[in-house]
Amino acid sequence: MRSKNVTKGPERAPNRSLFYALGYTEEELDRPLIGVVSAYSEIVPGHQHLDKLARAACDGVRMAGGTPVLLPSIGVCDGIAMGHVGMKYSLASRELIADSVETMAQAHQLDGLVLLPNCDKIVPGMVMAAVRIDIPAIVCSGGPMLAGTVGGEHTTLSKMFEAVGAFKANQIDKDTLHAIERDCCPGCGSCSGMYTANSMNCLCEALGLALPGNGTVPAVFSARTQLAKKSGMAIMRLVEENITARQIVTPQALKNALACDMALGCSSNSVLHLLAIANEAEVPMDLHTFNEVSAATPNLCHLAPAGPTHMEDLYFAGGVAAVQHELLQHGLLNGSLPTVTGKTVAENTAGCAIKNTNAIRPVKTPYSATGGLQILWGNIAQKGCVVKRSAVAPEMLRHSGPARVFHSEEDAIAAIYAGKIIAGDVVVICYEGPKGGPGMREMLNPTSALAGMGLDKSVALITDGRFSGASRGASIGHVAPEAALGGAIALVREGDIIDIDIPAATLNARLSPLDLADRRAKWQAPPPNVSKGWLARYAKLVQGADLGAIMSI
């Protein structure tokens, strides 16, 4: 056990004295020390109940013969951080979380980790740490929020953001806006569509790093508390057998996760996070891998914002296990891989047939023959960009239009609200990438404004920033190289014609190589947006979106 480095032998008497100061007994110090890392706080709806789940996980550890050690983690609520300077900190917080989990596990020589995240960057941050230090680990998320109900219909946060656009366009009145505001998010849990948080919680299950149900059991169900207890118990078997995170997160497991990503129609942010996790696991992966898996994997789910179903519908339809079972029946998944249950993927999902084809379509009748995400390349995205294809209206899969160029999210949203964007336009927002932002802000406000105004089927949006999983429409993000590094997106001018062909995986401006070279010769790098604090350090060290916005060493 790693913990013997702090609990065993006469040389560790000083270390033990500090454990005794904490109230631990000799019997507890004879058992494996398990870090229970909780991102509980009173600022994130998805995390406000994690204190209860942490206690349940601690109970599970004790029941299975271990000693739980409760540890904290920060977490940003992307919805609250949206649309202002706070969003610059969201993606960057992923690195702080990974570093802090590594620090606590290594400094105190913990034998294993039960990771209790729920929302966007907290999930991948914790997983990155687990595979980086490569010790036994299991993820137990807080679970999804139930859908809200407004006017007798289920709704969720994406509709709230779109309602602002509808209000600005005088399509709804103030009372309707307030009704949606009050009722779209009814309680604790990660917001109830297939947004980034739920995407990553489902993908942890698909990776084999979480127990079945991790992605879909609603936050308020007793089954979620039971899952936390079972996760605490399961970590003890992993510790006893020394099954570490990298034994689970293998190249084949990442391919399985990608297949589930495509079938489920996950957030475009999953591209950044899976690349980052693969990097920590020292598994080769690039954007071409996403398109290869997408080409072979049909899209089976259209959860909000792509369609009318929500996470609770996916849960009652059989959850991630039913999706895995369906993919396995058609040879689209590797069923022989190990998972934290001690069983293989095939054993975990045996008999998990689809219970509701409105929430999960069979492979033979998918929403599309290809996956929910598509990587595009072209003369303004030489290193690639990402679109959530499953949330794009059919008429926008191919689109050409004049560029409307903005150098910040704020300028773009002001133009949209002022009615200056019309059908056919291509909104281009640059200098919002990992370095340029810094922090690669999510663009949910402009995409939702366009959707709320009824322009999501006639206007595209392209950025070197990124999109919330709640965005829908022809929202193309992660353009690399980014503008701040002199990427060609910085050379696009007002009125340039942009050609988008999602089925052909291309994104181009109608500019010749000579035009681009002439503009590049005149381009000057702008001064940094941030010059002090953590974000300034982040901007200096962060790498491109095509690499997962990981930090250089």
Side-chain angles (χ1 to χ4, degrees), residues 214-550:
N214 180 73
T216 58
V217 174
V220 295
F221 283 16
S222 61
R224 178 58 59 175
T225 304
Q226 294 165 6
L227 191 70
K229 291 179 182 178
K230 290 177 181 178
S231 297
M233 298 170 70
I235 190 63
M236 294 308 300
R237 186 189 60 81
L238 297 174
V239 169
E240 289 163 9
E241 298 180 15
N242 195 31
I243 299 173
T244 64
R246 290 197 193 184
Q247 293 175 46
I248 302 293
V249 184
T250 62
Q252 296 82 8
L254 282 160
K255 281 282 186 73
N256 270 6
L258 276 179
C260 288
D261 190 332
M262 299 306 167
L264 288 163
C266 290
S267 165
S268 58
N269 283 312
S270 65
V271 176
L272 289 172
H273 301 323
L274 288 175
L275 286 171
I277 291 167
N279 174 71
E280 296 290 358
E282 299 182 345
V283 172
M285 179 183 284
D286 62 24
L287 292 178
H288 294 280
T289 309
F290 286 80
N291 272 5
E292 290 168 7
V293 176
S294 180
T297 312
N299 177 226
L300 307 182
C301 301
H302 262 194
L303 288 94
T309 51
H310 300 85
M311 292 304 295
E312 63 208 73
D313 300 307
L314 180 60
Y315 169 68
F316 287 118
V320 175
V323 173
Q324 290 177 300
H325 182 266
E326 181 69 9
L327 295 176
L328 277 166
Q329 300 309 300
H330 294 83
L332 298 172
L333 216 60
N334 186 333
S336 67
L337 302 183
T339 72
V340 292
T341 65
K343 299 177 181 179
T344 65
V345 173
E347 289 170 336
N348 283 341
T349 60
C352 296
I354 298 169
K355 299 176 182 178
N356 180 352
T357 55
N358 290 323
I360 307 171
R361 286 191 177 182
V363 164
K364 292 182 179 179
T365 56
Y367 284 100
S368 66
T370 56
L373 297 177
Q374 182 80 42
I375 310 299
L376 316 179
W377 284 272
N379 65 357
I380 57 172
Q382 293 174 320
K383 292 187 177 180
C385 57
V386 182
V387 63
K388 187 173 182 177
R389 178 175 179 163
S390 59
V392 179
E395 55 265 46
M396 289 298 291
L397 290 173
R398 292 183 176 89
H399 179 78
S400 296
R404 304 297 309 279
V405 181
F406 304 93
H407 286 184
S408 73
E409 178 191 8
E410 287 84 358
D411 290 348
I413 194 71
I416 294 168
Y417 284 155
K420 295 180 180 179
I421 304 301
I422 62 173
D425 284 347
V426 178
V427 176
V428 178
I429 305 176
C430 49
Y431 298 103
E432 288 285 6
K435 283 185 179 292
M440 204 179 179
R441 287 194 289 180
E442 288 184 347
M443 303 290 165
L444 180 56
N445 275 343
T447 58
S448 297
L450 291 171
M453 292 176 171
L455 293 172
D456 58 300
K457 296 181 180 179
S458 59
V459 172
L461 197 156
I462 301 169
T463 181
D464 54 4
R466 59 195 177 90
F467 296 106
S468 165
S471 292
R472 63 185 174 99
S475 304
I476 301 169
H478 308 198
V479 171
E482 63 175 287
L485 292 176
I489 189 173
L491 309 179
V492 176
R493 299 288 178 262
E494 190 82 7
D496 288 344
I497 300 300
I498 307 296
D499 295 317
I500 301 165
D501 192 332
I502 294 173
T506 60
L507 172 68
N508 290 288
R510 290 186 194 172
L511 297 168
S512 70
L514 190 61
D515 292 332
L516 289 170
D518 181 60
R519 292 184 185 183
R520 187 176 302 282
K522 299 172 184 177
W523 178 81
Q524 291 184 334
N529 282 336
V530 175
S531 59
K532 61 183 179 180
W534 152 239
L535 282 181
R537 297 195 299 275
Y538 177 83
K540 289 179 180 178
L541 295 173
V542 70
Q543 299 189 53
D546 57 303
L547 299 175
I550 58 176

Side-chain angles (χ1 to χ4, degrees), residues 89-262:
Y89 287 88
S90 173
L91 182 59
S93 73
R94 186 187 72 181
E95 313 309 313
L96 291 178
I97 292 162
D99 291 349
S100 64
V101 173
E102 174 196 358
T103 298
M104 295 301 281
Q106 296 289 65
H108 304 103
Q109 290 294 283
L110 302 174
D111 296 305
L113 296 171
V114 179
L115 304 170
L116 290 162
N118 207 25
C119 291
D120 293 25
K121 311 311 167 299
I122 302 89
V123 183
M126 288 188 181
V127 173
M128 288 164 64
V131 294
R132 180 188 299 171
I133 59 180
D134 195 26
I135 64 173
I138 189 169
V139 175
C140 180
S141 77
M145 184 186 293
L146 296 176
T149 303
V150 178
E153 295 184 0
H154 278 172
T155 191
T156 187
L157 186 65
S158 57
K159 292 296 184 183
M160 178 69 258
F161 276 91
E162 291 176 15
V164 177
F167 176 73
K168 293 284 187 179
N170 297 315
Q171 295 178 11
I172 62 172
D173 59 23
K174 191 174 182 179
D175 289 342
T176 302
L177 180 70
H178 184 65
I180 301 171
E181 173 186 335
R182 292 290 302 171
D183 296 331
C184 69
C185 296
C188 68
S190 47
C191 298
S192 60
M194 187 53 82
Y195 311 145
T196 306
N198 291 323
S199 294
M200 293 311 301
N201 289 328
C202 287
L203 295 183
C204 284
E205 190 175 335
L207 275 170
L209 206 56
L211 298 180
N214 180 73
T216 58
V217 174
V220 295
F221 283 16
S222 61
R224 178 58 59 175
T225 304
Q226 294 165 6
L227 191 70
K229 291 179 182 178
K230 290 177 181 178
S231 297
M233 298 170 70
I235 190 63
M236 294 308 300
R237 186 189 60 81
L238 297 174
V239 169
E240 289 163 9
E241 298 180 15
N242 195 31
I243 299 173
T244 64
R246 290 197 193 184
Q247 293 175 46
I248 302 293
V249 184
T250 62
Q252 296 82 8
L254 282 160
K255 281 282 186 73
N256 270 6
L258 276 179
C260 288
D261 190 332
M262 299 306 167

Side-chain angles (χ1 to χ4, degrees), residues 10-25:
E11 299 83 3
R12 299 307 178 203
N15 308 66
R16 290 193 297 275
S17 71
L18 294 169
F19 278 102
Y20 295 145
L22 290 163
Y24 289 95
T25 66

